[in-house]
Each structure stands twice: as structure tokens, then as C-alpha cells.
Amino acid sequence: MASKSTQFHQKMSQYLYVLVSLYPFEGVLDKHAQAIDQYIQQSVSDANSEARLNGRKSFLIWQKLAPDNAQSLFMQFDYQSQKAIIEEQEKFSEHEGELYDARKAEA
């Protein structure tokens, strides 16, 4: 992300989140893992708070898809970023449970 525009960074981090959320890993995302790692790293450390949030959420999904890549990325983050990811993971886990309960209630 060479642009200095905060709106650009925010949009790119949103696209990254959609990309890792919707596209299949095998045959698509795995071919571009290095670029995705780079964008996640940049998003997590961005000056824009919305970009950082999307970067952390993308990281959590990426952690499930490419655990080795995610572990390597996590070790490169500074302490504050690591702490924010862990806190986001706890929130994500809570909401994931709520979504599961809602789906059960609908059935």
C-alpha cells in the first residue's frame, strides 16, 4: 500500500478482509500468500484505526487458513499489535458463539 491516503488504506483493508473471508484458500489464496501476508502486516500496523481493525480481523481468518504464515506474521508484530490481536480474537470467539446460537435457534 504505497498510497498515503487514509481512505485508500481503509478500503484496501476492507477488501483484504472480504478476500480472506470469501475466497477459497486452496487454488486461490495459497498462490498469493506472500502478498496477503504483506497486506495483513501493513494493515495491522496502519495509522488508520479502521484499517488496523480490518487487518486484525483478516489476520484471525488467515490464522485458520494458513497457520504457519500467521504464526510467522504474529512474531513480526510489535507488542501492542499482538495484544490487540489477542483481544480481537477473544471478541471474535464470543461473537462466533453468538452466531452459532442464533443459527441453532433458527433451525
Side-chain angles (χ1 to χ4, degrees), residues 88-101:
E88 194 69 38
Q89 189 170 26
E90 291 169 0
K91 290 179 193 174
F92 189 70
S93 296
E94 290 173 13
H95 292 292
E96 198 173 45
E98 291 172 8
L99 288 173
Y100 179 73
D101 291 342

Side-chain angles (χ1 to χ4, degrees), residues 27-41:
V28 179
L29 297 179
D30 60 343
K31 293 179 182 178
H32 304 284
Q34 187 175 6
I36 293 170
D37 285 348
Q38 183 180 13
Y39 281 123
I40 288 174
Q41 187 172 24

Side-chain angles (χ1 to χ4, degrees), residues 36-75:
I36 293 170
D37 285 348
Q38 183 180 13
Y39 281 123
I40 288 174
Q41 187 172 24
Q42 290 175 352
S43 294
V44 167
S45 338
D46 200 278
N48 181 297
S49 62
E50 193 68 31
R52 287 193 310 270
L53 175 63
N54 287 321
R56 291 191 302 268
K57 292 189 319 187
S58 298
F59 175 83
L60 293 174
I61 294 170
W62 192 240
Q63 190 174 34
K64 292 179 181 181
L65 297 173
D68 293 337
N69 291 38
Q71 181 63 30
S72 175
L73 267 177
F74 188 79
M75 299 309 289

Side-chain angles (χ1 to χ4, degrees), residues 9-42:
H9 287 216
Q10 186 176 342
K11 286 292 182 194
M12 285 300 294
S13 68
Q14 288 173 343
Y15 294 139
L16 174 65
Y17 179 66
V18 169
L19 182 80
V20 297
S21 298
L22 299 178
Y23 282 80
F25 180 74
E26 292 190 30
V28 179
L29 297 179
D30 60 343
K31 293 179 182 178
H32 304 284
Q34 187 175 6
I36 293 170
D37 285 348
Q38 183 180 13
Y39 281 123
I40 288 174
Q41 187 172 24
Q42 290 175 352

